[in-house]
Amino acid sequence: MAHPYQHSMSSVRKWGGTVEDYLNIHSWFDASKQITADFRHRALRHHAEGIFMAETIFGPIVMLSSGRVIPTRWIGGRHVIEDLGFIPSFADWVKAIRPEPWMGRTRRIEHEVEPSPGRPTTTEAA
């Protein structure tokens, strides 16, 4: 797996500037390695929605130290393509997740939160 520094070097070769211009964005994409240190970490941010999320976090453009302006989405898209070869959707990742029984278990809480006849609601009791 490429390190954010290597992704940043690739961005410098593509658009100019310095490693520092890109490092925060590439580090954000790979921060999910803190959760799982194998390729599965990519399911969290390495997809189209993750690229748009990076734009909301880092802004729509990056002003390079050289003065050049680069769309944040270009940087995110290149990161994902360098790692995966294409930009998947989040749905592509979800389709690859094998459902487990615990994932669908829900606890019915309606009886705990809906008022019962004869039982005062919180506002009535006050």
Side-chain angles (χ1 to χ4, degrees):
M1 275 189 254
H3 187 276
Y5 177 80
Q6 294 163 320
H7 282 291
S8 297
M9 290 293 295
S10 176
S11 295
V12 169
R13 279 194 307 277
K14 177 80 173 167
W15 296 298
T18 65
V19 167
E20 290 76 22
D21 293 332
Y22 305 97
L23 197 55
N24 286 340
I25 296 171
H26 291 299
S27 294
W28 178 82
F29 271 95
D30 286 342
S32 52
K33 288 179 184 176
Q34 296 173 50
I35 300 166
T36 181
D38 62 27
F39 68 90
R40 293 175 295 176
H41 86 90
R42 294 175 177 155
L44 189 61
R45 297 180 178 159
H46 286 60
H47 45 70
E49 199 273 339
I51 294 167
F52 277 80
M53 189 185 318
E55 183 181 57
T56 65
I57 293 168
F58 297 101
I61 59 163
V62 173
M63 173 72 77
L64 302 180
S65 56
S66 64
R68 187 172 181 194
V69 175
I70 300 296
T72 303
R73 277 191 242 158
W74 289 8
I75 299 166
R78 184 168 174 90
H79 183 112
V80 173
I81 289 170
E82 286 175 350
D83 280 352
L84 301 176
F86 75 110
I87 299 173
S89 68
F90 180 70
D92 293 325
W93 282 100
V94 170
K95 285 187 271 183
I97 295 173
R98 185 183 49 154
E100 295 286 340
W102 63 266
M103 294 175 182
R105 279 193 202 115
T106 58
R107 184 171 152 231
R108 297 185 59 91
I109 63 167
E110 294 85 356
H111 67 282
E112 296 175 22
V113 298
E114 292 180 7
S116 302
R119 189 169 91 192
T121 63
T122 310
T123 54
E124 292 171 353

